[in-house]
Amino acid sequence: MNEYTEILLELPKPPSLNKFYAGKHYAVRQNYKKKYFEQIRISLENHDKFWMDTFEIHVLYNCRYDVDNAICCCKFLADYLRYGGYVKDDSPKFFKKQSTAFDGDLGKDLFVAKIKGYGYEIVE
């Protein structure tokens, strides 16, 4: 399965993994996620509704987070794709790979997510 479609999304800085789990109540974590879901929804408005059989997410970012603390962007995006009906699930059967890397050439506090969709199709 070598053919894929790429979707690039510019997203705002999510909470760091440390902040997300640092003694926060479930409701606080859900609020972080809900707010970030809205930003993802806005970013996807420029794209047709789509479906992917399998997918990868690769995130580049520029903020002071350690690489492992920047993972919430990928986590929230994978969850959004699943809940929004873009993919069947975010289990390893469907979500094949993820990466997160610092890129100092990006604008400050910018996160750029590249979704690689295999078995990609536009849906009505």
Side-chain angles (χ1 to χ4, degrees):
M1 204 185 300
N2 292 335
E3 290 188 39
Y4 60 86
T5 298
E6 284 188 2
I7 298 167
L8 286 176
L9 302 177
E10 289 190 5
L11 296 168
K13 182 173 138 181
S16 75
L17 184 63
N18 285 343
K19 182 176 182 180
F20 188 67
Y21 281 110
K24 300 292 183 189
H25 185 274
Y26 173 79
V28 173
R29 291 193 310 265
Q30 285 304 105
N31 193 42
Y32 283 143
K33 194 172 187 178
K34 180 181 175 184
K35 288 179 181 177
Y36 209 73
F37 270 24
E38 179 61 14
Q39 295 300 314
I40 294 168
R41 186 194 65 73
I42 291 167
S43 294
L44 281 170
E45 282 181 344
N46 298 324
H47 300 275
D48 292 321
K49 176 74 175 182
F50 58 87
W51 170 262
M52 300 175 290
D53 292 330
T54 62
F55 66 105
E56 302 175 4
I57 297 174
H58 304 279
V59 175
L60 296 174
Y61 75 97
N62 183 6
C63 73
R64 296 187 66 170
Y65 292 168
D66 296 338
V67 173
D68 58 337
N69 283 321
I71 195 68
C72 284
C73 178
C74 183
K75 168 67 175 152
F76 292 166
L77 181 53
D79 286 350
Y80 185 88
L81 293 173
R82 178 174 54 117
Y83 295 135
Y86 294 90
V87 298
K88 185 171 183 175
D89 196 18
D90 59 354
S91 67
K93 182 176 180 181
F94 305 99
F95 186 10
K96 298 296 188 177
K97 186 186 296 184
Q98 70 86 26
S99 66
T100 305
F102 175 79
D103 183 343
D105 292 332
L106 293 175
K108 186 73 175 147
D109 293 336
L110 182 63
F111 281 64
V112 176
K114 177 171 43 175
I115 305 167
K116 286 185 175 182
Y118 299 85
Y120 176 93
E121 59 186 75
I122 303 293
V123 295
E124 297 292 324

